[in-house]
Amino acid sequence: MRKLILLFIISGIFSTQGKSQGSKPVAISDSATWQKPEKIYTKVEVESSFPGGDNAWRTFLQNNLNGNIATASGAPSGTYTVVIRFVVDRSGALRNFTSETHLGFGMESEAIRLLRNSSPNWVAATVGGRKVSSYRRQPITFVVP
């Protein structure tokens, strides 16, 4: 008998859910605020680049890179190349910096600092004639005398 009464109570609870008394159903999600995740391309037709091209990039490096960071941090003599991976979005802004090398002596940190401070925005990559967000790998070489 207790099981039967409990069953009626439970079924009564479930039967009243979902019934509307003149109110509109509540939307579970608002499609106007939901955004499709951005596609980040690994293969593009035209690579993203620093504004002004390679010569402008070299000039920016010479003027802004602290090339003595490795020496000041006690790195042995030699040539070191760090590689930083990042995203250049459709507007040319840089984000999601990741070091692919781990040489230490402050070199990766300096390379990321340099990229974060590079301005103006980069030229975005293109696919099919439209600007897209893409990954880029940037090597930067440090020479310790």
Side-chain angles (χ1 to χ4, degrees), residues 38-39 41 44 46 88-92 122-134:
E38 174 189 32
K39 180 174 182 176
Y41 288 78
V44 295
V46 178
V88 180
D89 70 18
R90 290 182 296 226
S91 70
W122 287 45
V123 177
T126 58
V127 172
R130 64 183 179 88
K131 293 180 179 183
V132 296
S133 296
S134 67

Side-chain angles (χ1 to χ4, degrees), residues 66-142:
N66 180 357
N68 295 322
I69 194 79
T71 304
S73 298
S77 296
T79 302
Y80 302 91
T81 301
V82 300
V83 179
I84 307 299
R85 182 179 181 194
F86 56 97
V87 172
V88 180
D89 70 18
R90 290 182 296 226
S91 70
L94 308 185
R95 59 184 167 86
N96 298 0
F97 300 92
T98 304
S99 176
E100 293 185 355
T101 56
H102 304 286
L103 304 175
F105 302 102
M107 292 180 283
E108 285 86 4
S109 298
E110 175 60 14
I112 290 171
R113 183 202 64 82
L114 176 80
L115 288 164
R116 276 197 174 116
N117 294 327
S118 64
S119 65
N121 281 356
W122 287 45
V123 177
T126 58
V127 172
R130 64 183 179 88
K131 293 180 179 183
V132 296
S133 296
S134 67
Y135 288 105
R136 179 169 173 106
R137 294 176 72 238
Q138 181 65 56
I140 298 176
T141 301
F142 292 84

